[in-house]
């Protein structure tokens, strides 16, 4: 309706650890203004967002999001956004973002608790860590007795049954595929870095790729995994079929294009999807959807 601007304010930590920037910010983890979705009036002029709980409250739409790089409104007006997980093998998320909700960061990833919040955590026994990732190599996964207590309740990410982007690391330390073995995953293979979310709601789209009843059709890109041993590295485009239930969505995720080079954003115009790649040698791709 043109009344609001929604902003992603990313996290300043990987998983809620102390990040003091060489002692410049002693004992600092997250700030009131970080790891959140903010909403400001579109007609704001000269607005300076305060960085304290009371001051940010009028602008705080949703909390506990780690890095929701891109958001989009579904045809029914619901706001959804992908969330990039930490440097450990926990699923990346797709969330139905609602006012006043908390989405778990840094106490929960997907529907799994961050073990560093519990006494006696031992990173050497953590099966979800890989030396491919910065936060692991720098030793920020460690016993953390002063980890802050969790808020009362979290909203869960959207469940996906695949058939694609559904790999996960089990408690046994082995790779699994939720699409083949179950249960559903919340919401994507770890480290895919989902972004570029768009909904297929234009009348120029083929009829079977538009919203029907409680089911919406969307597309989401994957920047791609920076490391790890799971074989699903992303850098592709997924078609999502999102069906709204009582208090959340459920979805399927199907790969329809692959071998992009770190795709970072997308825009849909009519029946054409434009995909932007990142960095030197990147391109803009045009994908057409025909009846």
């Amino acid at each position: 309706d043109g009344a609001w601007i929604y902003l992603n304010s990313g996290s300043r930590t990987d998983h809620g650890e102390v990040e003091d920037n060489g002692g410049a910010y002693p004992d600092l983890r997250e700030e009131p203004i970080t790891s959140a979705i903010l909403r400001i009036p579109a007609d704001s002029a000269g607005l300076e967002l305060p960085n304290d709980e009371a001051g940010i409250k009028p602008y705080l739409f949703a909390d506990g999001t780690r890095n929701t790089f891109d958001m989009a409104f579904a045809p029914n007006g619901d706001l959804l956004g992908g969330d990039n997980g930490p440097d450990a093998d926990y699923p990346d998320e797709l969330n139905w973002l609602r006012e006043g909700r908390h989405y778990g960061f840094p106490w929960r990833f997907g529907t799994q608790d961050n073990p560093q919040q519990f006494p006696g955590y031992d990173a050497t026994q953590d099966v979800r860590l890989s030396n491919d990732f910065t936060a692991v190599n720098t030793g920020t996964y460690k016993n953390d007795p002063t980890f802050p207590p969790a808020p009362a309740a979290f909203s869960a990410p959207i469940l996906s049954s695949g058939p694609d982007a559904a790999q996960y690391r089990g408690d046994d330390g082995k790779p699994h595929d939720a699409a083949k073995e179950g249960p559903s995953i919340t919401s994507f293979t770890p480290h895919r870095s989902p972004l570029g979310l768009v909904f297929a709601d234009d009348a120029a789209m083929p009829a079977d790729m538009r919203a029907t009843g409680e089911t919406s059709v969307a597309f989401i890109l994957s920047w791609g995994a920076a490391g790890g041993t799971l074989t699903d590295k992303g850098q592709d485009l997924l078609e999502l079929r999102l069906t709204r239930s009582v208090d959340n969505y459920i979805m399927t995720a199907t790969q329809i294009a692959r071998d992009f080079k770190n795709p970072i954003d997308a825009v849909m115009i009519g029946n054409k999807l434009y995909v932007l790649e990142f960095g030197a040698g990147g391109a803009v791709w045009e994908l057409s959807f025909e009846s």
Side-chain angles (χ1 to χ4, degrees):
D1 59 9
W4 303 99
I5 297 173
Y6 292 80
L7 305 174
N8 163 56
S9 181
S11 68
R12 66 176 303 278
T13 71
D14 176 75
H15 55 279
E17 75 282 5
V18 170
E19 290 289 354
D20 62 7
N21 194 18
Y25 301 95
D27 301 320
L28 190 61
R29 300 176 189 261
E30 293 298 323
E31 296 266 51
I33 203 171
T34 62
S35 60
I37 305 299
L38 308 176
R39 184 180 66 179
I40 64 173
D43 60 358
S44 297
L47 176 64
E48 182 175 337
L49 294 175
N51 189 23
D52 60 78
E53 297 285 354
I56 203 66
K57 186 175 180 180
Y59 311 104
L60 183 63
F61 180 74
D63 209 351
T65 53
R66 184 177 179 272
N67 272 314
T68 300
F69 286 107
D70 208 350
M71 297 172 279
F73 285 101
N76 64 5
D78 291 342
L79 180 64
L80 278 70
D83 207 353
N84 179 28
D87 281 4
D89 286 349
Y90 294 96
D92 286 351
E93 301 176 7
L94 181 66
N95 290 302
W96 176 13
L97 298 166
R98 287 165 281 181
E99 187 173 6
R101 299 288 185 107
H102 197 293
Y103 291 87
F105 181 84
W107 296 276
R108 186 173 293 178
F109 308 122
T111 55
Q112 296 170 289
D113 289 330
N114 177 1
Q116 190 160 322
Q117 67 187 295
F118 302 122
Y121 171 71
D122 184 355
T124 65
Q125 303 301 310
D126 192 335
V127 299
R128 291 183 171 85
L129 300 186
S130 168
N131 288 329
D132 289 350
F133 295 99
T134 300
V136 179
N137 282 323
T138 55
T140 61
Y141 284 90
K142 59 185 179 180
N143 187 35
D144 195 349
T146 62
F147 204 99
F154 301 128
S155 292
I158 294 171
L159 281 166
S160 174
S161 57
D164 297 310
Q167 293 183 9
Y168 67 97
R169 180 79 59 192
D171 292 338
D172 58 3
K174 298 178 180 179
H176 297 268
D177 192 321
K180 298 176 181 176
E181 304 174 18
S184 300
I185 186 173
T186 52
S187 306
F188 304 112
T189 303
H191 314 299
R192 283 183 131 257
S193 300
L195 34 66
L197 177 67
V198 296
F199 282 87
D201 56 356
D202 195 285
M205 288 293 290
D208 64 348
M209 300 188 79
R210 298 198 301 266
T212 56
E214 292 297 312
T215 299
S216 299
V217 178
F219 303 105
I220 197 165
L221 294 166
S222 161
W223 165 271
T229 61
L230 296 171
T231 58
D232 175 17
K233 301 297 185 182
Q235 298 199 69
D236 60 7
L237 179 70
L238 299 175
E239 178 195 277
L240 309 179
R241 301 270 172 164
L242 291 146
T243 302
R244 186 171 170 177
S245 57
V246 176
D247 192 47
N248 209 339
Y249 284 80
I250 58 173
M251 74 176 181
T252 61
T254 305
Q255 185 189 73
I256 61 170
R258 58 187 174 88
D259 294 336
F260 292 112
K261 181 182 178 182
N262 299 124
I264 193 169
D265 210 350
V267 63
M268 191 139 216
I269 304 174
N271 67 329
K272 298 183 186 298
L273 181 70
Y274 295 90
V275 175
L276 173 66
E277 295 178 326
F278 179 82
V284 176
W285 296 92
E286 180 188 86
L287 285 71
S288 297
F289 298 90
E290 308 290 345
S291 300

